[in-house]
Amino acid sequence: QVQLVESGGGVVQPGRSLRLSCAASGFTFSSSAMHWARQAPGKGLEWMGNILYDGSNKYYADSVEGRFTISRDNSKNTLFLQMNSLRPEDTAVYYCAREGGSYYLSHWGQGILVTVSS
Amino acid sequence: QSALTQPASVSGSPGQSITISCTGTSGDIGTYNLVSWYQQHPGKAPKVMIYEGSKRPSGVSNRFSGSKSGNTASLTISGLQAEDEADYYCCSYASSRDYVFGTGTKVTVL
């Protein structure tokens, strides 16, 4: 079955960087577009960005454009989210998700908490 | 992209039907029939319930249905059950190649 497992979260100071990973299994990772979304405590979902199956194109939400970078390693079935210049408002649970092929997020990871605080 | 607009809360009694609206713009819902709906129970990851406006993934109850009119998409839950109590989010593909989520609706089963 499809499984997505995020890792790399934790507490980080404002202005610092953090890289999240998402290990994928149970499907052909190299054929799937992948997304990142986040959810601040007690708030709604926010789409962060996505990357096409081969990494050739990436799209980002305005709120993180220029600070966050999505990448993937298809040889290791792993998705990444590099987060730079972190702000307290970036505090959230971060989810990776597989695109279902029809512009929807078919499978989600369990989420990983990132806390930006001094 | 601004978030799609959903009512903060909707409630109904067991067995009743409820409808959650999701209002966007001509740049997202109005142009693309690519709205998806997600159910999220507390502390859990979201789960897709509807995609492409009205299609149900395998395993999702046929009590869930979706539709669209103009810039507004809707999710209807028929025969409301206690297990349907959760937060629901719509999401649409947008002309800027972005995706935008709705503000979220808390469904309460009375």
Side-chain angles (χ1 to χ4, degrees), chain A residues 47-100:
Chain A
W47 180 79
M48 293 284 90
N50 68 337
I51 182 169
L52 298 191
Y53 70 100
D54 59 356
S56 60
N57 283 292
K58 311 165 192 180
Y59 304 97
Y60 299 94
D62 290 345
S63 59
V64 301
E65 178 93 57
R67 292 193 304 127
F68 289 11
T69 301
I70 299 173
S71 61
R72 63 191 298 159
D73 185 339
N74 284 348
S75 69
K76 296 183 178 178
N77 289 351
T78 303
L79 176 72
F80 302 101
L81 179 66
Q82 177 68 44
M83 302 184 291
N84 298 332
S85 303
L86 282 163
R87 306 165 180 167
E89 55 265 35
D90 294 319
T91 294
V93 173
Y94 285 75
Y95 294 98
C96 65
R98 175 193 181 194
E99 186 169 308

Side-chain angles (χ1 to χ4, degrees), chain A residues 35 37 39 43-47 50 59-62 95 99 102-106 108-110, chain B residues 1 34 36 38 40 44-48 51-52 57 89 93 96-103:
Chain A
H35 296 246
Q39 187 169 34
K43 303 297 184 181
L45 295 169
E46 181 184 13
W47 180 79
N50 68 337
Y59 304 97
Y60 299 94
D62 290 345
Y95 294 98
E99 186 169 308
S102 296
Y103 300 89
Y104 71 104
L105 280 57
S106 62
W108 296 64
Q110 83 285 355
Chain B
Q1 278 286 346
L34 295 173
S36 49
Y38 302 87
Q40 186 181 34
K44 300 295 186 181
K47 172 189 174 184
V48 62
Y51 68 98
E52 287 186 15
Y89 295 90
Y93 180 73
S96 50
R97 299 191 179 184
D98 294 350
Y99 289 68
V100 57
F101 281 101
T103 50

Side-chain angles (χ1 to χ4, degrees), chain B residues 75-104:
Chain B
L75 174 72
T76 297
I77 309 175
S78 306
L80 200 61
Q81 300 180 1
E83 68 207 48
D84 301 331
E85 187 161 294
D87 293 326
Y88 291 82
Y89 295 90
C90 58
C91 181
S92 177
Y93 180 73
S95 57
S96 50
R97 299 191 179 184
D98 294 350
Y99 289 68
V100 57
F101 281 101
T103 50

Side-chain angles (χ1 to χ4, degrees), chain B residues 3 8 15-16 49-50 54 58 62 84 91-92 94 98 106-107 110:
Chain B
Q16 286 187 329
M49 307 303 283
I50 294 288
S54 60
S58 174
N62 60 9
D84 301 331
C91 181
S92 177
D98 294 350
K106 180 177 180 60
V107 169
L110 301 172

Side-chain angles (χ1 to χ4, degrees), chain B residues 37 50 53-56 64-68 74-76:
Chain B
W37 288 90
I50 294 288
S54 60
K55 297 181 180 179
R56 277 187 311 276
F64 291 84
S65 61
S67 63
K68 187 191 98 163
S74 298
L75 174 72
T76 297

